Structures are given as structure tokens and as C-alpha cells.
Amino acid sequence: MLFRDNQQQPIATNIRIILMAGILVSCMLVATIGIITWYALQNVNHQVENLVNETATKSNLIYEMRIAARERNLHLAMSLLVDDPFLIDEEWMKFKEQGTLFLIAREKFKSQNPGKTESLLLQKQRELSKHAVKLQYELNDLRLSGNYIKAIEVLHEEISIQVKVFSVLDEILAIHEKNNKLIINKLFSSQEKTQKAIALLIISIFSIIYLTSTFLIKRLSIQAEEIKNEGIKYKALIEGSMDGILVLDKKSIIDCNNNALRLFGVDSLTELNRIGLDYFSQFSEEKSAIKSDGIFNAINHALVNNKKRYEWVFKKANNDTFPSDIELQGIELNENNYVQMIIRDITERERIKKALQDANENLENKVKERTDELTKTNQKMLGLAHSAGMSEVASGVLHNVGNVLNSVNVSSSIIKNRALNSRARNLNKVIDILHKNKGNIDDFLKNDEAGKLVIPFLEQLSEKITREQEDQIQEINSLTNNVDHIKNIISMQQSYAGNIGVIEKIKTGDIANDAIDINLSSINNSGINLSKYYDTDYEISIDKHKLIQILVNLISNAKHAVMNGGKSDKNIILGIKKHNNNIIFFVEDNGIGIDEKDIEHVFEFGFKKRVEGHGYGLHHSAISAKELGGTLTVDSDGMNKGATFTLTIPIEQK
């Protein structure tokens, strides 16, 4: 890198001379050790190779004899067990083949110059094999004459002799192994002198290295400490920076850190220079520095008298663009003038800034629009209900609208509170701090304890603001869905004036999830645990708006029941199951429960136990269930023991 002190050059030259002298002497000694070691290893390798080859050959031949003897006995025994003459002849021929293989392996072993003891054991094996062969042919004659009992007796005798043959072969292997150990011990003892010579040379090399190192350490300890500190500072300031740092002359990029390569989407400094900053800065459309005039670098050189700062939009290698803050600083290295350029990607900062502006501008308008729309919808619904003369139905519709409006109010309050308490306000504090230190922003961010926290704080703030936006969008979507449901309730109310309800095919799970979503905001804010148990997800043909009104009403009543129950664990279960040709929806809670004497009055018009209740929600739901061809029932074990409402709907509407 260019970040190097010129005063270190004479010291570096002395270091190179001393090191080269030490390395030269060390290399000569290492070469001597290498030659001696090579010759010693060659000798050992040659002897070991001969020993391995001889050992492998003899061992293989002994095992070949063992295998041949074993296979020969096996085929001899098989000739007594089979009845087919052809198979008997085949086993006898295999018996002879294995005998031939045994003799071939034995003769090869003899050609390997066995020792005196091995030769005596081979002779012993030969005498045993002669006796065994005699018994083998005697066994064959007995088999041919049909005397199998006598043949089996002879086979037993022959096998006992073969066991002795195997024992002789094992003795040969043991002797062979013993001889190998003796040879290896001789090889190890012959290497002691060579090892001593090599050890002496190694000690000499370490002595030279020690003396050279001691001299260098005494002379260069202070300079080494300075170089170490400079390396640490370089790594912390240059490679540890989240910004791209480049060093420019008037035509090209002299050096850069890894973050600069990442910003422009290239893999190396060579590739960065091959394309050229004129292309990345959009001064030139030519993706080649050869065809570019280096205007961008020249302009930056002309700008720098003191530290300069400006904003720019760069293009990456893949043609994507990104806005950035640029800081220029003139530097002098080896009597040459360069420009240090620090590039900071401000894409995320600009995105957050724009998102905050858009959110602040649009949120208030959207809430006002939804509020006005709800007011008009409510007025329209009241007018339709009164004009149709259906006060009872209108009361039920108003109750259902009230349930949805509760969720709307909760969503509106959440959006308002999040807007008022948005962490985006903290961005102004950071901007004020940066403005106060804009004259020394680089030093402030790198060295000041508060400045070091700015970039991590902005990253965390960006994540939190992004999550705030996602939550606000979710609540706005919920608000929109609730308004749409109110519109659907009004459409259904209009049908009571003479239009027949529209029958649609729907999934039971989808309609149940919609009913949960309408109550979700108020349920979540009340610390209630709502569980789903969908035993089936059937497709039914039904007036979905009537069905969802019933489910919304049942979930809302369950919510109030668990809130008034006084229990720490507030649980509601919405379930779906199929029985015969009916779909059964049930809403179970562990709330305040229903007194036995009140069970039969629950669905009566005007009946209520809750002070803020109206007394017509469950009544209207029961009427709607009947209109759908089904029934709505309730079950409770008494006060403080919860309740279960069950809606039974036929799969096919009549």
C-alpha cells in the first residue's frame, strides 16, 4: 500500500542485507543437511523397499499355499457330499487344480532364497503333504468303490495332517517376521551416525539464526514497534472502515480498500482500474479506462486545496446506481501529490428519509379518509335500515358494525400512537450532532466516543423505522379490510329490502380466518390467546356475509367473557369440524360462563348480562343461522367455567 513512511527505507535496506546474509549461510547449511539426509534416506529407502518386497512376496506365497490347501480339502470334502457324477468329477478336478497351485506357490517360495530354518520347515511340510496326498487318493478310491464311511474316516485323518501343514506354514511366517525385525533394528542402528551429523548441522543453523535474530532485534526493536502500531492503525482506519477509501492520481486509482471494491461491485483493483472511475461516476459511457480521458480523477485533483466534501451518484459494474457522500483530502507520498477519496453509500439513509416523509404526509390523510368513509357508511346503513322498516335486523347489523368499528378504533389508535412515538424523531438528534461536528466529521466518527456510536445507531434506527413502517402498513391494511367488511354488511342490509342474499362457494378455513382478523387487533391488545382447531377445510356454498357476521359476533362475545372472567390465562378456541352433511363451527372460551337458569334465554331479544351490551347480538346471530338453514346453540357448565357456542351449517344450501 502507499501508506508507508519514507524514513523507513534506509532501515529496511539494512534489514534486507542482514537477512540476505543470514539466509545465504542458512541455505548452505540446509543444503548440506538436505544432501546428507537425502543419501541416508535413499539408503534406508532402498533397504526398506527390498525388505518390503521380499516380505510381501514370501508372505503372499505362504498365504497362497494355505488358501490352496484349504480349497483342496474343501473340494475333496464336497466330492463326498454331492450325488451327481458330473459334480463329483468337477470337484475332483478343482481339487487337482488347487494342488497344482499349492506346488507352484511352494516352488516360488523356494526360489526366494529361504533361510536354513525355513528350508527345514519346507522339507517337513513336504513329508506331511506326501502322506496327505496318499490319503487323498485313497479317499478317492474308497469313494469310487462306494465305501463312504471309510472315505470319511480317511478324510478326518487327512484333515488332521493338513492342520499340521498349516502349523508348519505359520512357523515359517513367524521366522520370517523375526528376521524382518532383526533387519529393521540394524537399519535403525546404522542411522545413528547420520542423525548425529544432521543434529550438529541443525544446531549450527539455529545458532546462526539466533545470532542474526539477536542482532536484528537489538537494532530494530523500536522500529518494529512503530511498524506494528502503524499496521494496527492502518487496518483499523482503512480496512476497518465501512466506507470505500481510494487513493487517486490524475489518471487512475493507485490503491483502495475492500469496501471500495464492494461498493462498485468489482473483485480487484485491476478490474476497478480497467473499467475506470469515469464510467462509475457516469462521466463516460465507455466501460473501459483505455477509452476514457480520466476526467473525474483530474477534476478531483483540481478541487483539493483543503478538505472538500460533496454528494455524488455513482454507477456500479452491474449498472445499478447509489447515492454517496464524498470526502476529498490531498496527500503527498514520495514527493508526489495524490487525492484520498472517501466514499460513503447513503442509499439507506436516503430511503429512510424519503420513507419517513411519505409516511408523515400520507398517514394523516389516510386516517382522515377512512374516518370520513366510516361516517358516511354508518349514516347510509342507518338510513337503509329505517327505510326498509326492519328495525330488528338493522339493530343486528349495527351491532356487527360496532364489532368491526371496535377493531377500526384500535387500529386507528395504534397507528396514531406509532406515528407520535416514531423513532424517526431520533434522526433529527443525530443530524444535529453531525452538523455540530461537520468541520471534523471524519475525526469525530473515528475517534470521538460519541461519534463511534453514530453509524451503529443509524443502522439500528434504520431497522427499527423499517419495522415501524411494516407495522403501520399492516395496521392500515387491517383498517382497509374492516372498512370493506362494513361495506359488505351494508350490501347485505340492502338485500333485506327485497334482494336475495348471494350464495358463494367459500373455504370454511378462509371465512373463519377472516372473522379472526376482524377481531385480531382488540384480542391482541387484551392479552388473549386465540387458538385455531380446523379438523377440516371444506368448501361450502353459503351467504358468506351472514356467516362471517355470526362468527365475528361469537368471537367478540368470547373476548368479553374471558376479559370479565378474572383469570390470568385468557383462552379462546375457534374450531371447525364435519359431522354427516353439516359443517360445525364452535367458539370455546374459559371466561365468566353462563348460569344454568340463563341458558335458555341467551338468544332472546334484549337479553344481556354485560352492562355495555345491547341484548340483540346473539339474537340476530341465531336468526341468521336459521336463515342459513342451520342452528346456533350454547353450552356452559356454570359460572366461571367458560362457555361453548356451536354453529351447525349444512354443506349445501337449499
Side-chain angles (χ1 to χ4, degrees):
M1 297 295 288
L2 286 175
F3 310 102
R4 188 181 300 171
D5 191 347
N6 293 333
Q7 295 178 355
Q8 299 174 9
Q9 295 300 323
I11 298 175
T13 301
N14 292 335
I15 293 173
R16 286 196 292 269
I17 293 172
I18 296 170
L19 286 177
M20 288 177 64
I23 290 171
L24 180 61
V25 175
S26 299
C27 287
M28 293 175 64
L29 291 174
V30 169
T32 304
I33 292 174
I35 293 170
I36 295 172
T37 305
W38 185 81
Y39 278 111
L41 289 176
Q42 284 291 101
N43 183 39
V44 173
N45 183 61
H46 180 69
Q47 294 182 55
V48 171
E49 185 177 354
N50 291 337
L51 178 62
V52 170
N53 290 336
E54 181 182 350
T55 301
T57 302
K58 287 185 177 181
S59 299
N60 288 338
L61 291 172
I62 291 172
Y63 282 113
E64 286 178 13
M65 286 189 282
R66 287 176 60 90
I67 293 170
R70 185 194 66 190
E71 293 294 320
R72 185 169 55 183
N73 285 328
L74 179 62
H75 291 303
L76 185 64
M78 288 296 297
S79 67
L80 293 176
L81 298 175
V82 296
D83 296 327
D84 191 323
F86 293 98
L87 293 177
I88 293 171
D89 290 339
E90 182 180 355
E91 293 296 330
W92 183 250
M93 290 302 296
K94 289 180 179 179
F95 160 78
K96 289 184 175 182
E97 289 174 3
Q98 294 299 326
T100 301
L101 292 175
F102 182 93
L103 293 175
I104 291 171
R106 185 177 183 279
E107 291 304 314
K108 286 183 179 179
F109 187 89
K110 289 174 66 178
S111 67
Q112 295 294 320
N113 298 320
K116 183 178 179 180
T117 306
E118 292 175 324
S119 299
L120 290 175
L121 289 171
L122 283 175
Q123 183 62 32
K124 182 179 178 181
Q125 173 270 321
R126 187 170 182 274
E127 294 300 325
L128 289 170
S129 294
K130 283 182 179 180
H131 189 193
V133 169
K134 180 180 178 182
L135 292 173
Q136 291 164 356
Y137 280 90
E138 181 182 350
L139 181 149
N140 189 48
D141 292 336
L142 291 169
R143 178 186 59 76
L144 292 173
S145 64
N147 192 351
Y148 283 88
I149 296 175
K150 181 63 177 176
I152 291 172
E153 294 177 358
V154 173
L155 177 62
H156 288 167
E157 184 178 356
E158 189 272 344
I159 289 173
S160 67
I161 294 173
Q162 288 297 337
V163 171
K164 295 179 181 179
V165 171
F166 288 152
S167 178
V168 171
L169 293 176
D170 290 338
E171 288 183 44
I172 295 174
L173 280 174
I175 292 170
H176 189 53
E177 181 180 356
K178 182 178 180 182
N179 291 336
N180 289 342
K181 289 182 178 179
L182 292 174
I183 294 171
I184 290 172
N185 289 332
K186 289 180 181 179
L187 286 174
F188 285 148
S189 62
S190 67
Q191 299 305 311
E192 290 181 357
K193 293 181 179 180
T194 304
Q195 291 172 353
K196 290 180 180 179
I198 292 172
L200 183 61
L201 287 173
I202 291 173
I203 291 171
S204 300
I205 289 175
F206 276 110
S207 298
I208 293 173
I209 293 173
Y210 174 77
L211 293 173
T212 304
S213 301
T214 302
F215 177 76
L216 289 174
I217 290 170
K218 288 181 179 179
R219 185 172 180 180
L220 302 173
S221 59
I222 297 176
Q223 189 64 35
E225 186 66 26
E226 292 178 359
I227 293 172
K228 177 183 177 182
N229 292 336
E230 288 178 4
I232 293 173
K233 286 191 292 183
Y234 170 79
K235 184 176 182 181
L237 296 177
I238 306 303
E239 290 302 335
S241 172
M242 296 181 65
D243 302 325
I245 302 177
L246 304 91
V247 178
L248 315 175
D249 63 12
K250 293 184 179 181
K251 293 184 178 180
S252 63
I253 305 165
I254 305 302
D255 210 343
C256 69
N257 65 351
N258 289 327
N259 274 329
L261 301 179
R262 179 185 57 79
L263 283 176
F264 293 112
V266 296
D267 297 325
S268 64
L269 177 61
T270 302
E271 185 179 357
L272 185 60
N273 270 318
R274 180 181 60 79
I275 299 174
L277 271 185
D278 271 40
Y279 175 79
F280 291 119
S281 60
Q282 304 184 69
F283 269 75
S284 171
E285 291 298 322
E286 294 290 343
K287 200 173 185 180
S288 171
I290 297 175
K291 299 179 181 180
S292 176
D293 295 331
I295 298 173
F296 187 76
N297 291 26
I299 289 174
N300 285 315
H301 269 268
L303 285 175
V304 176
N305 291 321
N306 297 313
K307 186 181 291 187
K308 300 289 184 181
R309 188 170 183 176
Y310 61 93
E311 291 187 357
W312 199 261
V313 177
F314 283 104
K315 178 165 58 177
K316 296 185 178 183
N318 62 1
N319 290 327
D320 290 343
T321 60
F322 65 93
S324 65
D325 270 345
I326 295 179
E327 184 178 295
L328 302 178
Q329 176 69 54
I331 56 176
E332 183 177 344
L333 297 171
N334 299 326
E335 298 182 355
N336 294 317
N337 293 321
Y338 299 95
V339 172
Q340 178 181 277
M341 174 182 285
I342 300 176
I343 302 175
R344 176 168 300 164
D345 187 347
I346 59 172
T347 302
E348 185 65 17
R349 189 178 79 188
E350 293 297 314
R351 186 188 68 79
I352 293 173
K353 183 178 178 181
K354 186 177 185 306
L356 288 173
Q357 289 175 348
D358 292 343
N360 289 333
E361 290 174 0
N362 296 332
L363 183 59
E364 186 175 349
N365 292 333
K366 288 182 178 179
V367 172
K368 185 176 183 302
E369 290 174 2
R370 293 297 183 270
T371 303
D372 292 341
E373 188 174 355
L374 287 173
T375 302
K376 293 177 182 178
T377 301
N378 190 32
Q379 292 173 351
K380 184 177 180 181
M381 181 196 66
L382 290 172
L384 289 172
H386 286 294
S387 63
M390 301 177 67
S391 58
E392 183 180 31
V393 175
S395 297
V397 172
L398 284 172
H399 180 68
N400 288 319
V401 171
N403 288 336
V404 182
L405 283 175
N406 286 335
S407 296
V408 170
N409 290 332
V410 171
S411 296
S412 300
S413 298
I414 291 173
I415 292 171
K416 180 179 179 181
N417 289 334
R418 286 176 178 167
L420 292 175
N421 299 316
S422 174
R423 293 181 176 88
R425 296 183 176 184
N426 294 331
L427 189 60
N428 293 330
K429 299 178 182 179
V430 177
I431 293 172
D432 290 340
I433 293 173
L434 293 176
H435 273 302
K436 291 177 181 178
N437 294 276
K438 64 181 180 180
N440 61 334
I441 190 68
D442 184 59
D443 181 68
F444 173 70
L445 292 176
K446 293 177 181 177
N447 302 317
D448 190 272
E449 292 300 322
K452 292 178 181 179
L453 301 175
V454 169
I455 293 176
F457 175 77
L458 288 175
E459 292 175 346
Q460 295 178 8
L461 181 61
S462 174
E463 294 176 0
K464 291 177 179 178
I465 291 175
T466 301
R467 287 196 295 270
E468 283 182 3
Q469 287 181 306
E470 292 173 352
D471 293 341
Q472 287 176 341
I473 290 171
Q474 182 178 356
E475 289 298 332
I476 290 172
N477 289 337
S478 174
L479 195 64
T480 303
N481 291 336
N482 288 330
V483 172
D484 290 340
H485 181 58
I486 292 174
K487 292 179 181 178
N488 292 330
I489 294 173
I490 292 172
S491 297
M492 189 208 68
Q493 162 64 22
Q494 290 174 327
S495 70
Y496 284 121
N499 297 328
I500 299 175
V502 178
I503 304 299
E504 301 176 55
K505 285 188 175 181
I506 59 169
K507 290 279 190 179
T508 54
D510 292 342
I511 199 73
N513 289 336
D514 288 343
I516 291 173
D517 290 342
I518 291 173
N519 287 281
L520 194 59
S521 295
S522 57
I523 287 175
N524 289 341
N525 292 329
S526 302
I528 297 171
N529 178 36
L530 193 150
S531 304
K532 296 187 289 187
Y533 174 78
Y534 298 169
D535 184 54
T536 183
D537 190 11
Y538 234 77
E539 185 174 78
I540 60 175
S541 298
I542 200 168
D543 184 341
K544 70 176 183 179
H545 299 303
K546 286 185 180 180
L547 178 57
I548 199 171
Q549 285 181 60
I550 299 172
L551 295 177
V552 168
N553 201 341
L554 295 181
I555 295 171
S556 177
N557 283 344
K559 178 193 71 176
H560 290 295
V562 297
M563 289 300 296
N564 294 328
K567 295 181 180 178
S568 59
D569 56 328
K570 302 174 178 62
N571 298 318
I572 298 175
I573 300 175
L574 173 58
I576 306 173
K577 56 186 178 181
K578 179 178 179 293
H579 180 67
N580 296 331
N581 292 322
N582 296 316
I583 295 296
I584 298 173
F585 297 83
F586 63 92
V587 178
E588 180 180 345
D589 65 70
N590 66 340
I592 195 170
I594 304 172
D595 196 294
E596 182 179 1
K597 69 179 187 300
D598 294 329
I599 287 286
E600 60 181 346
H601 303 294
V602 167
F603 299 109
E604 292 179 359
F605 182 82
F607 179 83
K608 65 176 183 177
K609 283 292 185 178
R610 187 161 45 92
V611 175
E612 66 273 23
H614 300 289
Y616 47 74
L618 289 176
H619 173 69
H620 184 267
S621 296
I623 293 174
S624 296
K626 187 175 182 180
E627 291 172 348
L628 293 173
T631 59
L632 179 61
T633 60
V634 64
D635 181 66
S636 176
D637 292 333
M639 296 301 293
N640 297 318
K641 294 184 178 181
T644 302
F645 285 81
T646 303
L647 174 63
T648 303
I649 300 293
I651 293 176
E652 293 293 336
Q653 296 286 293
K654 296 180 180 180

